């Protein structure tokens, strides 16, 4: 049985690409050095797949920033404002991804969005009316060729035309339908180019096919592929889907002249049924995504083999595959030197998944499971189970009453009480929590971790930082202060460390966007709060100022969504356990004099089912109550904030209001404030701080620019409900640009107060 990998992580096991790119951005290394790091990584990645016995290895899954952006650039989708900078090809690319501010101009980055239901972000390509969509690059050819030079035949991948055209933003009057012919020609040219090089397969990633597709979508898809596939020549086409099932277009795609179809058996709830009911064409290979590309638990061989046997019984020619790209899991368990074997034996990262693929395929091919020690071992592992239950947690869960999900008094009544208690000016200014994580801040934490400095020294350093941050915020006139989050590495791991049931890894980095990686902890067992988490820092910060200092927590939905979840209990149950733990922290903060508490839900939307029909029943109906459970116990005068890292919630505004927070801050500057119309239309009740500038980029917004944004916001949000803040936390920014930006922000708020 053959095996296939949809895509491999590219940042490097030691995050080599991240570090090289960052050096390049700072001008510390040149393009040549950056390219050479990238080349080495690519070689290593395909070689380790080859060595593991993978048959279908992907090339061109490498990216300097994002695969969708790569595909857009390959197709000539580069907005004029970036071309006009007159930068090198590489730097034009980075300008689109990160913005550019320098001698040659000042241009913001393209928008960034979460890639389907993952924590990976893609860059949103922009199509202008005069964009000429055509084959305009060579990356896919170069990387295929490069692999070949390493004696490895690969299946180059690009984002398929349907997903590409569906995810683009159209800034003019044209729509995706207007690019049908051009896209067909471009993709045909790609096929032709690969044919010339002797490629045997190409993989078109089409995750957009697992969403709800209406008739127009289906017709568009069909036309697009019928056109593209006329240019197939000798290159075989794998239509790869993932993150769900293709129920709306199963019929359409199985009738296309493709040679392989990749289906997700992990997240695709209906995948098996679709195949059973409709059959699978004899002339195509089924790439069965049975090894989870998103989670770190070992595959349950028995279950997988059962499915493979069923497929075989149906006479289907099957290739065993990952369920999606391994981009979403860390590199290798080999790097986890501190994690006990007792835990490790339950896990498989990218490299171990390669072995799983090969092993399972071998067992399936032999037909005699028990002859394989690997099979017997795996079976035993799952039969034995894990030591992960906590009786107290389960008791507490059972004791939750319906009224624990509701905060009283109601919002309007609270609003008055809070206005009197907090005495904030109109258009209060605040930030989202973190301040720049400068070298010294990171050093302090890592020295403490390594035992190089004592706890007293560690704390003294952070206190000094907090003190300076408070003084500085007061001096420039910010109204609601933050302590700066100097004690945190990231917003989930930090909390997880004080929660029982959590496990931490050393090297389990996963790319989030560009050079940013996260290291999600693992939910191993039942969760509860071991001890107060943030209280000491927040209380200290508050003691330094008469202005309110926000307590800063991560909410249960985000903690869960940014962890590797358990597979043995439901997401709902895990989330409720975490909510109870964070509730304890909220009440402790309040007891210690914190008057405003922000509960970040940066990842609330992330696990929203991709199909609208599942949104409430399979997610929002428990995720929103879990958030309310966290704060329902506070006094009326305690103000609850929440924060989200995107403005993509036009369609779930009632659910957001239902979180019953008093204030919400969210990203808005990168998406043209479109969300505001929707808030107005829905009579959004929560006070709102739409971000007035983009923190993903080092550029400093001018006062004028912020004032303009605020004026637009005032048209849509009532003055009494409007807050002034950046898009997100400032941890990834430098100190200098942060200062300059926040000073401008305060000046802008002052000016708006005069206008109001
Ligand atoms: N409070 C966090 C911070 O400012 C929020 C981060 C986030 O939303 N990703 O860093
Ligand atoms: Zn954010």
């Amino acid at each position: 049985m053959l095996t296939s990998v949809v895509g491999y992580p590219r940042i490097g096991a030691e995050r080599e690409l991240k570090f090289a790119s960052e050096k390049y951005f700072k001008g510390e290394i040149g393009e040549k050095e950056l390219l050479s790091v990238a080349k080495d990584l690519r070689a290593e990645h395909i070689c380790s797949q080859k060595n593991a016995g993978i048959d279908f290895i992907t090339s061109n899954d490498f990216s300097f920033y994002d695969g969708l952006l790569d595909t857009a650039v390959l197709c000539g989708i580069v907005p004029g404002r970036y071309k006009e900078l007159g930068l090198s090809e590489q730097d034009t690319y980075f300008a689109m991804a990160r913005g550019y501010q320098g001698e040659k101009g000042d241009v913001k980055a393209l928008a960034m969005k979460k890639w389907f239901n993952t924590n990976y972000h893609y860059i949103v390509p922009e199509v202008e009316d005069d964009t000429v969509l055509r084959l305009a690059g060579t990356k896919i050819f170069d990387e295929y060729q490069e692999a070949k030079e390493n004696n490895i035949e690969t299946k180059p991948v690009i984002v398929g035309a349907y997903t590409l055209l569906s995810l683009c933003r159209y800034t003019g009057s044209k729509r995706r339908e207007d690019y049908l012919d051009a896209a067909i020609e471009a993709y045909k040219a790609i096929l032709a180019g690969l044919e010339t090089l002797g490629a045997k397969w190409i993989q078109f990633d089409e995750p957009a096919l697992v969403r709800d597709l209406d008739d127009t979508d289906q017709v568009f898809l069909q036309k697009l592929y019928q056109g593209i596939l006329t240019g197939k020549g000798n290159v075989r086409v794998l239509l790869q889907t993932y993150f769900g099932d293709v129920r709306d277009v199963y019929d359409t795609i199985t009738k296309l002249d493709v040679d392989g179809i990749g289906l997700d058996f992990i997240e695709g709830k209906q995948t098996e049924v679709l195949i059973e009911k409709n059959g699978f064409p004899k002339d195509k290979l089924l790439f069965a995504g049975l090894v989870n590309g998103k989670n770190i638990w070992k595959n349950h061989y028995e279950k997988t083999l059962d499915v493979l046997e069923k497929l075989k019984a149906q006479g289907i020619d099957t290739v065993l595959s990952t369920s999606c790209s391994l981009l979403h899991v860390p590199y290798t368990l080999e790097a986890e030197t501190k994690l006990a074997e007792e835990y490790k034996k339950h896990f498989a990262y990218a490299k171990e998944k390669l072995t799983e693929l090969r092993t399972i395929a071998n067992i399936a091919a032999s037909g005699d499971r028990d002859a394989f020690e690997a099979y017997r071992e795996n079976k035993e592992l799952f039969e034995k189970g894990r030591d992960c239950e906590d009786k107290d947690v389960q008791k507490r869960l059972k004791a939750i009453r319906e009224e624990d999900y509701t905060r009283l008094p109601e919002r309007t009544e609270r609003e008055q009480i809070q206005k009197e208690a907090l005495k904030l000016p109109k258009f209060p200014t605040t930030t989202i929590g973190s301040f720049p994580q400068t070298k010294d801040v990171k050093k302090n934490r890592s020295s403490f971790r390594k035992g190089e400095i004592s706890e007293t020294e560690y704390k003294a350093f952070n206190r000094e930082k907090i003190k300076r941050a408070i003084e500085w915020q007061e001096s420039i006139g910010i109204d609601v202060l933050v302590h700066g989050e100097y004690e945190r590495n990231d917003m989930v791991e930090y909390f997880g460390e004080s929660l029982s049931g959590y496990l931490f890894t050393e090297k389990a980095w996963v790319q989030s966007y560009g050079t940013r990686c996260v290291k999600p902890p693992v939910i191993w067992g039942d969760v509860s709060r071991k001890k107060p988490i943030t209280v000491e820092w927040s209380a200290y910060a508050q003691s330094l100022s008469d202005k309110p200092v926000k307590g800063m927590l991560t909410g249960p939905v985000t903690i869960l969504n940014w962890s590797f979840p358990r597979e043995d209990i439901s997401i709902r149950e895990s989330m409720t356990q975490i909510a109870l733990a964070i509730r304890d922290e909220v009440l402790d903060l309040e007891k210690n004099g914190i008057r405003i508490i922000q509960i970040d839900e940066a990842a609330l939307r992330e696990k929203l089912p991709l199909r609208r029909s599942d949104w409430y029943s399979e997610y929002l109906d428990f995720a929103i109550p879990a958030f309310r459970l966290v704060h329902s116990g506070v006094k009326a005068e305690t103000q609850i904030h929440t924060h989200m890292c995107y403005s993509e919630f036009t369609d779930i505004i009632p659910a957001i209001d239902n979180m019953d927070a008093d204030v919400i801050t969210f990203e808005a500057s990168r998406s043209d404030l479109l969300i505001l119309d929707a808030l107005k239309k829905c009579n959004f009740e929560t006070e709102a701080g739409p971000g007035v500038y983009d923190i993903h980029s080092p550029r400093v917004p001018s006062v004028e620019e912020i004032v303009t944004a605020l004026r637009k916001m005032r048209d849509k949000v009532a003055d009494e409900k409007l807050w002034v803040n950046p898009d997100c936390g400032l941890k990834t920014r430098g100190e200098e640009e942060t200062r300059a930006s926040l000073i401008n922000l305060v000046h802008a708020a002052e000016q708006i107060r005069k206008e109001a």
Side-chain angles (χ1 to χ4, degrees), residues 715-756:
D715 287 343
K716 314 281 172 176
V717 181
D719 286 357
E720 313 71 61
K721 285 191 190 281
L722 186 59
W723 286 65
V724 181
N725 48 264
D727 266 351
C728 190
L730 299 160
K731 59 182 165 247
T732 56
R733 295 275 58 90
E735 266 177 342
E736 224 171 290
E737 73 222 31
T738 298
R739 277 165 206 266
S741 302
L742 290 182
I743 289 173
N744 289 355
L745 179 143
V746 172
H747 286 319
E750 281 161 0
Q751 190 169 327
I752 285 293
R753 281 175 202 144
K754 279 188 215 138
E755 289 175 15

Side-chain angles (χ1 to χ4, degrees), residues 407-409 414 417-418 586-587 590-591 593-595 631-640 662:
R407 182 175 174 199
L408 289 173
R414 282 176 347 231
I417 300 176
Q418 289 166 15
V586 165
L587 294 174
E590 186 184 58
K591 228 185 279 161
I594 304 302
R595 292 173 283 162
H631 70 85
S632 64
V634 299
K635 294 184 281 191
E637 51 267 49
T638 301
Q639 192 171 64
I640 298 295
D662 300 301

Side-chain angles (χ1 to χ4, degrees), residues 307-518:
V307 179
L308 289 173
E309 262 172 33
K310 255 205 238 158
L311 295 172
K312 193 172 173 196
Q314 293 168 75
I316 299 169
D317 217 346
T318 305
V319 175
L320 178 62
S321 169
T322 55
S323 65
C324 60
S325 168
L326 295 175
L327 175 69
H328 312 290
V329 291
Y331 270 81
T332 173
L333 271 177
E334 286 160 20
E336 300 291 352
T337 53
K338 293 199 185 115
L339 205 58
E341 193 46 41
E342 151 197 17
Y343 298 121
K344 269 209 275 199
K345 69 180 180 201
H346 292 275
F347 299 149
Y349 294 177
K351 198 165 171 203
E352 290 74 35
K353 285 180 195 281
L354 302 176
T355 313
E356 287 195 318
L357 283 168
R358 190 64 266 153
T359 309
I360 299 169
N362 288 347
I363 301 174
S366 90
D368 180 7
R369 301 181 184 187
D370 289 310
F372 288 80
E373 198 190 324
Y375 176 77
R376 297 194 303 269
E377 248 178 39
N378 185 273
K379 194 168 175 209
E380 202 189 308
L381 189 74
F382 278 86
E383 273 166 4
K384 262 202 183 146
R386 303 174 297 113
D387 175 21
C388 62
E389 276 170 32
D390 181 333
K391 290 259 149 29
D392 291 336
V393 172
Q394 309 209 348
K395 236 192 257 159
R396 225 180 138 189
L397 276 183
K398 284 211 189 79
I400 301 176
R401 299 158 306 164
E402 202 42 46
E403 54 265 39
D404 295 331
Y405 290 106
T406 310
R407 182 175 174 199
L408 289 173
E410 283 184 7
R411 193 189 333 249
T412 37
E413 202 176 314
R414 282 176 347 231
E415 210 169 86
Q416 275 321 317
I417 300 176
Q418 289 166 15
K419 286 229 146 66
E420 276 155 37
L422 294 167
K423 299 199 174 55
L424 296 170
K426 252 189 182 176
F427 310 107
T429 51
T430 190
T431 60
I432 308 304
S434 58
F435 274 145
Q437 291 263 335
T438 42
K439 278 212 181 94
D440 55 335
V441 172
K442 291 187 187 160
K443 176 97 205 310
N444 183 50
R445 271 203 318 269
S446 72
S447 305
F448 177 49
R449 244 167 224 275
K450 289 187 206 139
E452 293 163 9
I453 56 170
S454 69
E455 187 169 350
T456 323
E457 286 169 293
Y458 166 72
K459 286 191 174 168
F461 175 92
N462 276 351
R463 282 174 163 251
E464 186 53 34
K465 275 276 170 189
I466 291 174
K467 190 159 167 250
R468 271 195 245 156
I470 296 285
E471 281 167 5
W472 181 74
Q473 292 170 84
E474 282 198 326
S475 77
I476 68 163
I478 299 216
D479 303 305
V480 172
L481 315 186
V482 297
H483 76 283
E485 302 182 19
Y486 300 110
E487 72 288 358
R488 307 184 191 178
N489 38 357
D490 83 61
M491 54 187 298
V492 171
E493 182 164 301
Y494 176 72
F495 285 87
E497 277 170 354
S498 301
L499 300 177
S500 65
Y502 257 88
L503 266 192
F504 298 91
T505 62
E506 254 175 284
K507 292 282 172 63
W509 294 103
V510 179
Q511 191 176 17
S512 171
Y513 66 86
T515 57
R516 177 142 184 89
C517 298
V518 293

Side-chain angles (χ1 to χ4, degrees), residues 563-624:
S563 304
F564 289 114
R566 284 166 74 170
E567 291 182 345
D568 61 332
I569 65 169
S570 69
I571 296 286
R572 173 194 208 124
E573 186 175 342
S574 263
M575 210 181 264
T576 314
Q577 292 181 4
I578 300 168
L580 287 173
I582 302 300
R583 178 184 169 96
D584 293 346
E585 184 72 9
V586 165
L587 294 174
D588 258 355
L589 281 171
E590 186 184 58
K591 228 185 279 161
N592 283 276
I594 304 302
R595 292 173 283 162
I596 303 185
I597 301 168
Q598 178 174 313
I599 306 160
D600 291 327
E601 283 293 13
L604 183 103
R605 211 198 143 94
E606 215 154 275
K607 296 258 163 92
L608 190 67
L610 295 172
R611 291 177 190 276
R612 205 174 259 266
S613 47
D614 297 339
W615 280 3
Y616 281 86
S617 59
E618 287 191 20
Y619 187 68
L620 294 171
D621 284 349
F622 57 85
I624 303 296

